[in-house]
């Protein structure tokens, strides 16, 4: 009996470890199988969240923009603004005729007699150009000595002569006339300016001058030196 007891005890000792090893293997296997089943249920084929993938697939997608042809804008480009007109040319003079310029004028002075203690001279501006031109207003008149220095003072303006203040149109070869007046030497007791060598004239509206050395005997006396507006005929 004692021998059998030892054999059974030995058998329990031999079988105990087998059972001890077998139980854990069965428990872990069952747990692993359950975990895998849960994983297969919850995971999609690519390992993503199946529910999230379904929700994403059910969500509406925004329509894609329609592509346009290569190099073609989706909408027509705005047209370029119309070109601006060229700057207007300088306005023409009244009647389409330009003012007479000094390079197209010749100056001369002609003695025109004496009356009421005054001496008169006809200042002429002749159009030497090939086109008509206009003059309007009073010329500027001065006297120069032989060295080019001014003698006395420039002529003051008067209304003597045939000019009425309007424009004078000169065809080629025609002259405008302005009256120059001074006091007679005899009534001034000889109080006269020194003799001049050149008559210098600014045509009306011009900043340039024309000159003549032919003074026609002009000698200013009594500090009286006047010029009238241009007219279309001699006084």
């Amino acid at each position: 009996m004692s021998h059998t007891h030892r054999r059974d005890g030995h058998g329990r000792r031999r079988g105990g470890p087998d059972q001890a090893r077998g139980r854990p293997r069965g428990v872990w296997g069952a747990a692993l199988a359950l975990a895998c089943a849960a994983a297969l249920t919850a995971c999609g084929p690519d390992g993503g969240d199946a529910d999230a993938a379904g929700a994403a697939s059910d969500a509406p997608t925004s329509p894609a923009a329609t592509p346009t042809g290569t190099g073609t804008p989706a909408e027509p480009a705005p047209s370029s603004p119309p070109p601006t007109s060229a700057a207007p040319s300088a306005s023409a003079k009244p009647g389409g005729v330009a003012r007479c310029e000094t390079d197209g004028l010749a100056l001369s002075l002609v003695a025109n007699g004496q009356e009421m203690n005054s001496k008169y001279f006809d200042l002429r501006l002749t159009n030497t150009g090939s086109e008509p031109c206009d003059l309007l207003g009073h010329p500027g008149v001065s006297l120069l000595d032989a060295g080019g220095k001014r003698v006395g003072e420039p002529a003051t303006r008067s209304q003597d002569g045939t000019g009425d203040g309007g424009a004078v149109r000169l065809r080629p070869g025609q002259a405008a006339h302005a009256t120059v007046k001074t006091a007679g030497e005899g009534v001034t007791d000889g109080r006269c300016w020194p003799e001049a060598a050149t008559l210098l004239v600014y045509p009306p509206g011009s900043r340039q001058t024309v000159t003549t050395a032919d003074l026609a005997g002009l000698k200013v006396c009594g500090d009286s030196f006047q010029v009238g507006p241009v007219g279309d005929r001699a006084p």
Side-chain angles (χ1 to χ4, degrees), residues 120 137-138 156-166 179 181 226-230:
Y120 294 88
H138 288 73
T156 59
R157 294 180 177 182
S158 72
Q159 295 304 316
D160 293 321
T162 61
D164 58 4
T179 297
K181 182 175 72 172
Q226 300 178 358
V227 62
V230 293

Side-chain angles (χ1 to χ4, degrees), residues 44 60 109 116 157:
L109 188 68
M116 297 294 295
R157 294 180 177 182

Side-chain angles (χ1 to χ4, degrees), residues 193-204:
W193 294 354
E195 188 173 350
T198 303
L199 178 69
L200 180 145
V201 173
Y202 289 88

Side-chain angles (χ1 to χ4, degrees), residues 8-217:
D8 292 341
H10 177 72
R12 282 196 299 270
R13 287 194 296 271
R14 186 174 57 229
D18 291 341
Q19 290 177 357
R21 285 194 297 271
R23 275 198 300 270
R25 184 178 301 161
V27 172
W28 285 109
L32 182 59
L34 290 173
C36 185
L40 290 175
T41 302
C43 299
D46 56 355
D49 190 331
D51 293 337
S57 63
D58 293 339
T61 57
S62 59
T66 303
T68 59
T70 303
T72 303
E75 294 182 1
S79 59
S80 300
T84 57
S85 58
S89 59
S91 58
K93 299 295 182 182
V97 177
R99 185 186 68 207
C100 298
E101 301 292 345
T102 55
D103 57 0
L105 290 173
L107 171 65
S108 60
L109 188 68
V110 177
N112 203 30
Q114 180 172 338
E115 183 181 342
M116 297 294 295
N117 299 323
S118 295
K119 296 182 71 172
Y120 294 88
F121 297 82
D122 179 19
L123 186 156
R124 300 176 181 178
L125 292 168
T126 302
N127 179 8
T128 61
S130 59
E131 299 291 337
C133 62
D134 285 352
L135 287 177
L136 173 65
H138 288 73
V141 181
S142 294
L143 295 171
L144 306 178
D145 64 16
K149 297 178 68 173
R150 191 177 70 195
V151 175
E153 298 296 328
T156 59
R157 294 180 177 182
S158 72
Q159 295 304 316
D160 293 321
T162 61
D164 58 4
V168 177
R169 179 156 302 170
L170 304 180
R171 292 192 302 272
Q174 284 189 320
H177 303 265
T179 297
V180 174
K181 182 175 72 172
T182 186
E185 185 175 358
V187 299
T188 62
D189 296 329
R191 292 181 289 106
C192 302
W193 294 354
E195 188 173 350
T198 303
L199 178 69
L200 180 145
V201 173
Y202 289 88
S206 177
R207 294 179 179 274
Q208 298 180 333
T209 62
V210 289
T211 61
T212 181
D214 186 358
L215 301 183

